Amino acid sequence: MLFPDYRPRRLRQNENFRRMIKETHLSVNDLIMPFFVVNGKKIKRPISSMPGQFHLSIDQLIEQASLAYSMGIAAIIIFGIPGKKDPFGSQAFAKDGIIQRAIAEIKQKLPELIVITDVCLCEYTDHGHCGIVENQAIDNDATLDLLAKTALSHAKAGADMVAPSDMMDGRVTEIRGALDENNFSHIPIMAYSAKYCSAFYGPFREAANSAPRFGDRQTYQMDPANSREAIREASMDVEEGADIIMVKPALAYLDIISRIRDEFDLPVAAYQVSGEYAMIKAADQLGWLDGQRAMIESLLSIKRAGSDMILTYFAMDAAKAINK
Ligand code: PBG
């Protein structure tokens, strides 16, 4: 049907018509809130490259997590900033590491809130890479054991789900095995399956002090030019036992989210990363765009592309907007 018989504007003429034909709905159920946790007490230190985000000591983290939960957010993901770093990232799997202590305390205060942990070594290694470094190269297979240990230590501390973000080959098999052997077969794995080597992680690396000290992450994270490779990565993770497949970043990779949604029947997650958040916040602060609208529009686009859940620093702001 063509104009003048068909007039698409008929169904846009007022808010109630627009509500009736809305195809995508954002819900607080879609949102996962990330937090950065540091040692100490009563610390709520602003992260300059991520306005509105903070380094939180465990007590403050619990306050923020309670607030998130009271808004209807069902899950958080936590990132630890350790007191000391070494070549093996041993604080990543230390029994009394920052993340392990944070998980235990949150679960004590908020037993129902889903606590997801990022399984990676880069925040904990002194060289800043996500794996063990041998002669300036990343030793994939030597790293697997440490990742499994890290995931297991999170599960032991009480984590509800682990999310490997390192992009080493074979990590899901290794982590699934370690969890299953230790009576954690009920703990799901959210795999960062298609994680691109992206400039949009810049603010996170400042927040987590995890920028690589030499080289970059191109030998393990994916080339932004590639799309078929994302399908191969996701297939491997599914075969290896992943429960949720993640695409990261989100906005520059909506086509990948859409393809992955079409190819697999597992739940799909997307990570709207630090740089995506910082871009919108910065432009809002400069008065160059309406940050609130840009936030909702970007989240809607990620959902429309096919993501079932969104990890986003906007989670609490968006929940506020949705609940209004
Ligand atoms: C750890 C990890 C990173 C992010 C999530 N997990 C950093 C990286 O890969 O450099 C980035 C999240 C963000 O930018 O918000 N490997």
Side-chain angles (χ1 to χ4, degrees), residues 25-33 67-76 113 296 299 303 308-312 314-324:
H25 296 267
L26 264 186
S27 149
V28 288
N29 298 331
D30 307 328
L31 304 170
I32 298 171
M33 179 71 198
L67 188 59
Y69 192 56
S70 71
M71 292 172 160
I73 292 173
I76 65 171
L113 176 71
I296 295 292
L299 292 171
K303 180 122 191 241
D308 298 293
M309 58 200 104
I310 308 170
L311 299 90
T312 173
F314 283 123
M316 291 166 77
D317 291 341
K320 224 179 274 168
I322 293 166
N323 290 336
K324 239 205 329 250

Side-chain angles (χ1 to χ4, degrees), residues 34 36 50 77 79 118-123 128 130 163 165-166 192 195-196 198 200-205 208 210-212 217 220-221 248 271-276 313:
F36 296 98
M50 300 174 72
I77 181 164
F79 296 93
D118 185 84
V119 176
C120 194
L121 301 180
C122 66
E123 291 124 75
C130 305
S165 70
D166 52 282
Y192 288 72
K195 177 173 178 182
Y196 285 88
S198 171
F200 291 103
Y201 308 146
F204 177 98
R205 291 180 189 171
S210 64
R217 303 208 204 287
Y220 41 107
Q221 298 181 345
K248 175 184 171 192
Y271 200 140
Q272 182 178 50
V273 300
S274 55
E276 299 179 67
Y313 303 96

